[in-house]
Amino acid sequence: DIINLEGSDNFYNFPNPFDPEDEYTQIRYVLKKTESVTIFILDIAGQNIRSLLKNISKTPGEHIEDLWDGRDDNGSFVANGIYYAHLKSESLNQYITIAVSR
């Protein structure tokens, strides 16, 4: 009930699912203008487990440079399961589902 998934062609990750012991997942999004971007990784309960970006200025266009390695903010691998990436900027407030599978 806390998360409204509104993934689109403008916000997704690849690969999905991913195995953090062998790969990263790439967070892809498109901006129409220069904006400050924040990306958090949340667990199934909606708790923030990893802060990927905090108010970082990004230029217009496609962004593929932000990666999640399957670790939490303490550097530990997360358990297998479903997680959410929350992308927030002046014009976007979207969530996508990310599956971690080893």
Side-chain angles (χ1 to χ4, degrees):
D1 63 312
I2 60 156
I3 293 176
N4 179 18
L5 296 176
E6 299 176 11
S8 69
D9 292 341
N10 289 333
F11 180 41
Y12 64 88
N13 71 296
F14 183 83
N16 191 15
F18 83 107
D19 179 350
E21 293 180 0
D22 293 330
E23 59 196 345
Y24 296 92
T25 192
Q26 183 179 71
I27 310 292
R28 182 204 175 271
Y29 53 97
V30 176
L31 299 175
K32 293 182 179 172
K33 61 181 183 162
T34 298
E35 301 184 58
S36 290
V37 174
T38 297
I39 299 176
F40 293 117
I41 304 297
L42 310 172
D43 65 15
I44 196 79
Q47 299 298 310
N48 180 26
I49 59 159
R50 180 75 183 267
S51 301
L52 289 183
L53 296 178
K54 283 187 180 178
N55 296 318
I56 302 298
S57 182
K58 298 282 187 164
T59 57
E62 179 180 27
H63 292 272
I64 58 172
E65 68 274 7
D66 300 307
L67 306 172
W68 183 39
D69 60 4
R71 295 177 188 266
D72 61 21
D73 278 337
N74 296 320
S76 301
F77 281 118
V78 299
N80 285 351
I82 299 297
Y83 296 86
Y84 303 104
H86 181 195
L87 171 75
K88 202 168 181 184
S89 70
E90 290 106 46
S91 67
L92 298 172
N93 186 16
Q94 293 185 308
Y95 294 85
I96 54 172
T97 303
I98 300 175
V100 172
S101 178
R102 292 194 218 26

